[in-house]
Amino acid sequence: MKLQRMNRRAIALGALAASSALVLTACGSDNTGGGSGGASASSTTGASKIKCDGAKGQLLSDGSSAQKNAIDAWVAQFSQACGVQINYKAGGSGAGVTSFTQGQLAFAGSDSALKPEDVTASKKVCTGGQGIDLPMVGGAIAIGYNLSGVDNLVLDAPTIAKIFDSKITKWNDPAIAALNKGVKLPDLKIQAFHRSDESGTTDNFTKYLKATTPDNWKYSGGKAWQAKGGQSAAQSSGVAAQVKQTNGAIGYFELSYVTDGVKAASINTGASAPVAPSSDSATKAIADAKVVGTGQDLSLKLNYNTKADGAYPISLVTYEIVCDKGNKADTLPATKAFLRYIASEDGQGLLPGLKYAPVPADIIAKVRTTIEGLS
């Protein structure tokens, strides 16, 4: 299929396209202009017709590691079509938001929407405007595990909370056994891994636990891990790598990081059957999200308590964070062109093949309109 060939080429080219970029800031100058700076150009890459619209130069971005595999694929397509170099560092949502509010980035990626204090800080670098959240990537947060001899594991919210709070420490604990009748669970210590860096994935994962099992998860939540015990690793890739190499390990990370040697647990939500993480099951959950942002901001509220059949409850949406006004004239054309592409049908169409979920149609339509108004 054309899409499959395009995906393979996108992944192969992603690292090359990302490695050569230099740092340019996007927000905070006294120039609030947003002209295209050149003639409109269009290029066809695979099945994607990408409008470059005067895009040129280099962009620096940082943030969510959950969306890195999607960004790599998008960057490969866009850079080949338009010649723009984009370096996405994937240092975590916290790092991305901080760098954005310091005026160091063209745009940031975050699995959590901007907090009020972040918006206030952004006004110092978005002259005449502020940072806004544009939902661009959906996905399931997998509970990935490595347990020899156990290929199909079922967990529920109370059990997950107790595992990650060091209240359940053995794989053959009665609570796990009750959810996995007929499965031979080993008398083996659980090694739970969490993020060491500030992470929107952590924020969404703990929001799920707070919403579904508050009696077992009494922490306030946020991007920084708060629970007791466990081991840590940086970024989604680091947590996944630790799980992959450790028998008896468990962690949480975006579904695209579930590779050979790592399996993903299904979640008992109270629906007719446990739900496994997938692009389709995440899409079903995200479709129930509500836009709660004001003005041009399109931040969403997810329903972590969903019991709909086939809806995977531990899902997230990654936002691209950009200034609504006050972008630098020299980076604005490239920023808008890239965001326009990734929000397009072609850009969103890459996501299922990379184990991500496209943003629901009614929401992505609003994203497209907002991108055109960036200045």
Side-chain angles (χ1 to χ4, degrees):
M1 293 176 63
K2 289 184 178 180
L3 182 57
Q4 291 174 328
R5 292 197 297 269
M6 183 173 64
N7 287 345
R8 289 195 291 269
R9 179 167 63 176
I11 294 168
L13 292 172
L16 177 62
S19 65
S20 57
L22 301 177
V23 176
L24 287 180
T25 58
C27 305
S29 76
D30 56 3
N31 186 344
T32 59
S36 64
S40 176
S42 297
S43 298
T44 301
T45 305
S48 300
K49 189 175 183 180
I50 299 175
K51 295 181 179 180
C52 300
D53 287 342
K56 59 183 178 180
Q58 302 156 336
L59 299 176
L60 178 67
S61 184
D62 192 6
S64 164
S65 62
Q67 70 167 354
K68 183 180 185 301
N69 294 331
I71 290 286
D72 284 351
W74 282 332
V75 164
Q77 297 293 318
F78 183 78
S79 295
Q80 184 178 21
C82 301
V84 176
Q85 297 175 337
I86 301 176
N87 180 6
Y88 185 76
K89 294 173 62 178
S93 297
V97 171
T98 297
S99 294
F100 177 79
T101 58
Q102 292 175 348
Q104 298 173 7
L105 307 176
F107 64 93
S110 177
D111 307 320
S112 298
L114 293 169
K115 295 180 179 179
E117 57 266 33
D118 299 325
V119 174
T120 298
S122 75
K123 292 179 180 180
K124 297 178 182 179
V125 296
C126 300
T127 305
Q130 65 180 51
I132 57 172
D133 301 286
L134 301 178
M136 205 69 76
V137 183
I141 302 175
I143 306 300
Y145 70 97
N146 178 355
L147 190 60
S148 180
V150 179
D151 294 328
N152 297 292
L153 182 71
V154 176
L155 298 172
D156 60 10
T159 306
I160 294 169
K162 291 174 184 177
I163 288 172
F164 282 93
D165 198 24
S166 302
K167 301 291 178 59
I168 292 178
T169 60
K170 289 289 189 73
W171 278 109
N172 62 349
D173 187 277
I176 301 177
L179 293 165
N180 295 273
K181 297 184 185 301
V183 177
K184 186 176 181 180
L185 297 165
D187 182 12
L188 179 67
K189 180 182 178 181
I190 296 174
Q191 300 198 53
F193 286 88
H194 58 264
R195 291 282 290 271
S196 60
D197 53 322
E198 290 199 355
S199 160
T201 307
T202 294
D203 191 18
N204 282 274
F205 176 52
T206 55
K207 281 179 180 176
Y208 160 75
L209 295 176
K210 286 174 62 181
T212 55
T213 183
D215 290 344
N216 294 298
W217 196 262
K218 299 182 180 298
Y219 302 98
S220 60
K223 293 176 184 170
W225 185 257
Q226 298 172 326
K228 301 174 183 177
Q231 302 177 65
S232 65
Q235 304 167 14
S236 293
S237 57
V239 175
Q242 291 296 324
V243 171
K244 183 174 182 177
Q245 68 185 22
T246 308
N247 186 36
I250 190 169
Y252 58 92
F253 34 81
E254 212 282 329
L255 180 61
S256 65
Y257 290 92
V258 175
T259 57
D260 292 343
V262 179
K263 301 178 180 68
S266 296
I267 307 300
N268 183 343
T269 65
S272 61
V275 185
S278 69
S279 295
D280 287 344
S281 62
T283 297
K284 288 182 180 179
I286 295 169
D288 198 26
K290 307 297 182 185
V291 175
V292 294
T294 58
Q296 298 300 305
D297 186 88
L298 296 174
S299 56
L300 304 176
K301 182 177 181 180
L302 302 177
N303 179 13
Y304 299 104
N305 267 306
T306 181
K307 292 178 173 56
D309 285 346
Y312 185 78
I314 321 176
S315 298
L316 59 76
V317 170
T318 298
Y319 303 96
E320 311 313 331
I321 296 170
V322 67
C323 296
D324 58 355
K325 299 177 182 179
N327 294 279
K328 281 189 173 181
D330 56 352
T331 57
L332 179 60
T335 300
K336 287 183 70 171
F338 181 66
L339 294 178
R340 182 186 295 118
Y341 162 59
I342 68 179
S344 71
E345 289 186 10
D346 288 327
Q348 291 287 298
L350 284 178
L351 295 177
L354 299 170
K355 299 184 180 180
Y356 292 101
V359 175
D362 58 334
I363 298 174
I364 203 67
K366 295 177 182 178
V367 171
R368 292 167 185 156
T369 299
T370 300
I371 291 169
E372 296 309 317
L374 299 179
S375 63

